[in-house]
Amino acid sequence: MDSPEKNRVGASVIVPTYCEAENLPSLIAQVADAFNARGWQWEVIVVDDNSPDGTAEVLPALAKNYPQVRFLIRKEDRGLSSAVLAGFALARFDYLVVMDADLSHPPEMAPALVEPLVAKQADFVIGSRNVAGGRTESWGIFRWLNSAVATALSRPFVGQVRDSMAGFFALRRELLATCDALNPIGYKIGLELIVKGRVRWIVEIPIVFRNRIRGKSKLTLAEQFRYLEHLSRLYDYQFPRGSPRVKFLIVCVCGALVSLGAVALLVKVGHTGFLPALAMGLSAMILVTLLFFVRYVRTQRDFIRMKRPYLEFFLISVAEWCTGLLVGWAVHHVCGILWSVLLALGGLVVVRYVLRKIFLHDVRGIRGERLAEGRAAEAKETTPSVLGSS
Ligand code: GDD
Ligand code: MN
């Protein structure tokens, strides 16, 4: 027969922290009240990245007061999403809740996020600011706009979900086992889980997102760019054929605009002949592409198969440049300047598409295994962390 203990709902609350020593005592007290009021089993797992604000001193005392509190202090890793995953790995209960430590997410709502999961009325529950009854407390226009754009960009993955950026959510632990390899980059681990877990059944529960009173936000500009990077990977994952092609198109259009501008400028004020201007214009396009390519290589290093990406890029660029010039030269006596440039750019793009497809594979999407997986696992073994509980 099942013991009553076994039938009781149990929730593991994962709290990633960086410099939240001042907020933790109050957070834990409120989480404890919320779950105890329902008679549920619970635990809090704090994953701290070796905060310099004395968190490491606060945590053992808290764990002593509350046997349900455990903590992990990571000495080498840093990052909200990877902290959440590290917390998942330690969780003991069937239901997982993720929340911020700064009391922006109302702790008293944590059990309410678990309820639809228990009742089998959802596979993923979001504490949402953007459904009726939910809101954010006095956000500035910048932060609001920022959040709106970020949410709009995630629409292809989440459809009608109103608050896909939320850091307050709940799921069944078993979802993790069915997720494709998670890529814990940046802040949006909730979105990552929804996409990689192919979650369809999402329920949003209204919450009021309060402004933090103590400490400060770690959401930097660099973090916002990381979100774009994360999105780019999610697009590749979800739309492995379409996404790289759309990106290819975006880069080509950007390069072509710069190239057209350069040729126009040179012909108008540079007193150069058409062919030298075209040669410069084609170079400008390749330069713009190089900027995107550097970013691509730096951020996708782990996925890229090519051994010498820059050498391959250089050789392909030479072929592109020669083709563009040849086409321009062939047609510029019969077409006007504009048409000659457009045809030259067209020739360049065709060569680029074909050669990159053959040599760089980057217009076909990321199919490669994550090369660094092994490396990352090795690093894990040597990473010193502190695991604590009472
Ligand atoms: N372990 C760890 N490592 N924790 C981190 C790190 C890190 O590198 N960076 C931030 N945290 C913790 C913070 O201590 C806090 O508990 C939580 O993650 C959220 O960080 P904030 O810096 O307070 O983020 P925010 O308020 O700007 O952003 C929140 O709202 C966004 C929606 O507007 C978060 O909930 C985001 O996930 C959410 O998208
Ligand atoms: Mn916050």
Side-chain angles (χ1 to χ4, degrees), residues 20 100-105 139 143 187 209-212 214 216-219:
E20 305 286 2
D100 292 353
D102 58 359
L103 301 167
S104 285
H105 301 145
W139 263 12
R143 184 150 187 189
Y187 257 44
F209 186 98
R210 288 184 288 232
N211 288 329
R212 69 154 72 228
R214 289 176 287 254
K216 45 182 194 281
S217 169
K218 285 102 215 168
L219 191 64

